[in-house]
Amino acid sequence: MANATICTVTSVPVVIVGAGPAGLMLAHLLGRAGVEAIVVDTRTRHDIETTQRAGILEADAARDLIETGVSDRILRDGHEHEGVELRFGGRPHRIHFKELVGESVWLYPQTDVFIDLADARDRDGGTVHFGIKDTEVLDITTGRPRVRYTTPDGARHEIRARYVVGADGSRSMCRDLVPEDRRVRYGKEYPFAWFGILAEAPMSAPELVYAQSEHGFALISQRSETVQRMYFQCHPDAVVEAWPDDRIWETLQARVAGEDGFRLKEGPVLEKTVLRFRSFVQEPMRWGSMALAGDAAHTVPPTGARGLNLALHDVKVLADVLLRALGSEGERALDDYQPRALQRIWRAQNFSHWMTRLLHTAPGSTPFDLKRRLGELDNVVCTRAGRTYLAEQYTGWPTGTLD
């Protein structure tokens, strides 16, 4: 596209590649401070808001959506969860977040977070270009980076900025702009996946249920009063078509069964998918005039519900350093971004890995491995230190020790 005619050239302080929750929240935070940012995304708004994704928000993330003026819809449509239930050995064990750390989490799908942020950008007059293609990010090692893109009508446009942010998801193009010999990628592939369903059924429990049994792992989540999300451990190469509804419900019921007679409320399965597990971090998170945020820089297994929260924390930190960089401190302010973001990222990687290993059965596990894991689960639920550790990690370290 180098020789294509450029129809318009626009200049702004910040251009953001990726209009998911991370990119839109960053634009919102900058906009509140009077800094204009343009956001571009290859997906249409309809594509993003009709991709159903679950979501657990830390209390701080929920507060940020409300207190920064995005929306208070979470208070009306979200569900506050003061704990979670771990089921193992045929018995339920509740981890009471409020009692242990004084905080809770909110069940509020990522799709709704996106809708709230996109609506807020429209309301506030922010510029978001959805459905573009042929995105190019140029000159990031200079003080005048550029982003070029093509609109659906075929016109080619250029945005000139002081800083570029790559928030373009787990298949990021921006992260590949860091030279191969200057980047380090840390990763782990897990030998199992989740088979996820969306089912038309009443809620089976008021809060999330993480179940571990001799039959395997299952997670019982919620979506609304009439539609629920549920998952169970499967092989990464599982074929969706091999799982009719009856087999799915039989598998889920076996994995949550216990001496208390707990059973799931069943209904038609509306959606089926296989979700592979991966941990990933790229360093550095900043290269020249470009910074990476959210899934473009890191991904975690879904077990600990950290992904969306990490992305929102990234841009909260990034908004602060960008405002300083655009002010009197200049570019050196960006040096603060990576260490502040990575501290939480690696803590979250540890927690997600720990919780995944704790609740899933790895291929080749021996009888000793299975019994040892039950002992670890017992330590978690039967000691205050164990319960507090899980509560602090799951709610996002609300004590203020990380910032």
Side-chain angles (χ1 to χ4, degrees):
M1 302 299 294
N3 297 322
T5 301
I6 303 300
C7 297
T8 65
V9 175
T10 306
S11 295
V12 291
V14 179
V15 58
I16 301 166
V17 181
L24 293 182
M25 186 62 168
L26 178 58
H28 173 74
L29 294 173
L30 292 173
R32 279 174 54 86
V35 172
E36 184 181 1
I38 293 177
V39 188
V40 298
D41 201 299
T42 56
R43 300 166 294 176
T44 67
R45 173 168 175 166
H46 177 78
D47 288 341
I48 303 174
E49 67 184 26
T50 54
T51 301
Q52 295 297 324
R53 300 185 69 178
I56 291 289
L57 287 180
E58 300 168 1
D60 285 346
R63 276 192 288 268
D64 286 343
L65 291 173
I66 298 167
E67 294 176 2
T68 67
V70 175
S71 174
D72 63 356
R73 188 164 66 97
I74 189 173
L75 299 176
R76 301 186 300 276
D77 297 343
H79 299 272
E80 185 177 12
H81 287 187
E82 296 185 356
V84 295
E85 180 180 297
L86 299 185
R87 292 182 66 84
F88 64 94
R91 298 173 58 195
H93 307 269
R94 185 164 187 257
I95 308 297
H96 197 311
F97 299 154
K98 275 281 191 178
E99 178 185 278
L100 292 162
V101 298
E103 284 290 8
S104 57
V105 296
W106 285 82
L107 177 73
Y108 195 63
Q110 183 170 325
T111 309
D112 289 300
V113 175
F114 165 78
I115 290 171
D116 290 346
L117 285 163
D119 286 347
R121 289 284 74 211
D122 284 344
R123 178 198 68 204
D124 297 340
T127 302
V128 183
H129 298 299
F130 291 106
I132 56 97
K133 62 181 181 179
D134 302 325
T135 308
E136 292 181 289
V137 180
L138 308 167
D139 302 333
I140 60 171
T141 57
T142 75
R144 294 175 58 84
R146 298 173 292 147
V147 173
R148 289 180 173 177
Y149 63 94
T150 303
T151 48
D153 63 2
R156 192 75 175 154
H157 302 273
E158 179 173 293
I159 307 171
R160 297 176 180 175
R162 179 60 188 89
Y163 297 108
V164 173
V165 175
D168 49 339
S170 60
R171 295 179 177 86
S172 173
M173 168 269 294
C174 289
R175 70 176 173 223
D176 289 339
L177 298 177
V178 180
E180 188 173 358
D181 63 343
R182 302 299 297 273
R183 69 189 184 221
V184 180
R185 290 178 172 175
Y186 304 92
K188 178 178 177 60
E189 299 286 344
Y190 291 82
F192 40 73
W194 277 1
F195 195 105
I197 67 166
L198 197 67
E200 185 178 346
M203 288 186 180
S204 295
E207 297 172 336
L208 270 65
V209 178
Y210 288 85
Q212 204 290 319
S213 75
E214 67 272 19
H215 300 288
F217 167 82
L219 169 61
I220 310 308
S221 183
Q222 301 82 22
R223 180 65 174 83
S224 69
E225 296 293 336
T226 58
V227 177
Q228 315 309 323
R229 276 209 173 274
M230 303 181 193
Y231 305 88
F232 58 85
Q233 181 181 339
C234 68
H235 191 277
D237 297 326
V239 178
V240 167
E241 291 74 20
W243 287 87
D245 290 11
D246 288 349
R247 185 185 179 195
I248 290 171
W249 287 116
E250 181 181 357
T251 299
L252 284 166
Q253 295 289 11
R255 296 187 183 191
V256 303
E259 59 189 43
D260 58 350
F262 178 67
R263 284 189 60 81
L264 302 174
K265 297 175 181 178
E266 300 183 9
V269 176
L270 308 175
E271 180 184 289
K272 306 174 187 179
T273 187
V274 174
L275 178 64
R276 289 173 175 263
F277 277 27
R278 187 185 184 210
S279 294
F280 171 85
V281 179
Q282 174 165 308
E283 298 180 22
M285 292 177 64
R286 175 209 164 191
W287 186 255
S289 296
M290 181 187 72
L292 301 173
D295 286 357
H298 49 76
T299 57
V300 293
T303 322
R306 297 296 87 207
L308 174 58
N309 292 290
L310 277 181
L312 293 175
H313 183 265
D314 282 355
V315 298
K316 186 175 182 179
V317 174
L318 188 52
D320 172 62
V321 299
L322 282 172
L323 292 173
R324 289 162 47 203
L326 291 165
S328 59
E329 292 186 46
E331 187 173 330
R332 69 179 183 274
L334 286 185
D335 294 341
D336 288 348
Y337 173 53
Q338 177 167 304
R340 287 176 61 186
L342 280 179
Q343 183 185 25
R344 182 173 287 257
I345 289 163
W346 280 112
R347 273 204 170 190
Q349 289 286 359
N350 176 69
F351 173 62
S352 298
H353 176 73
W354 172 77
M355 199 165 178
T356 299
R357 180 186 55 79
L358 179 68
L359 293 167
H360 294 75
T361 302
S365 294
T366 66
F368 174 86
D369 296 329
L370 302 179
K371 288 291 188 180
R372 187 213 57 78
R373 183 177 58 193
L374 287 175
E376 186 174 5
L377 280 162
D378 195 54
N379 269 328
V380 171
V381 302
C382 293
T383 67
R384 185 173 182 86
R387 295 192 302 273
T388 302
Y389 174 77
L390 194 152
E392 284 182 341
Q393 303 286 315
Y394 203 94
T395 56
W397 311 283
T399 57
T401 57
L402 275 182
D403 192 37

